[in-house]
Amino acid sequence: MKRFFVLLPLAAGLLTAPACTDHTVTMQLANEQGSGRAIGTIVITESRYGVVFTPELSGLQPGV
């Protein structure tokens, strides 16, 4: 019984760890054939206020 209570916090920590990690998404230009060249990444993190998207993009034309 004591083993269960020792392993329970460890298991809970391992199960919640993936939810706390940052995610990095590679962004690519879209063209007629599908995906084009890579233009950078966006890092997705969670803050106490919600989700934060941090772009690191290059080679884009100015404007919308």
Side-chain angles (χ1 to χ4, degrees):
M1 186 70 162
K2 288 184 181 182
R3 254 188 214 171
F4 175 76
F5 289 112
V6 171
L7 293 176
L8 185 62
L10 177 63
L14 292 174
L15 292 175
T16 58
C20 298
T21 60
D22 296 347
H23 297 283
T24 302
V25 179
T26 302
M27 300 301 295
Q28 298 177 329
L29 288 176
N31 58 27
E32 295 82 22
Q33 291 78 29
S35 296
R37 66 179 176 83
I39 56 171
T41 60
I42 295 180
V43 178
I44 304 169
T45 56
E46 185 176 354
S47 76
R48 61 186 248 185
Y49 302 107
V51 180
V52 178
F53 293 83
T54 307
E56 293 185 25
L57 305 175
S58 62
L60 296 173
Q61 295 179 356
V64 177

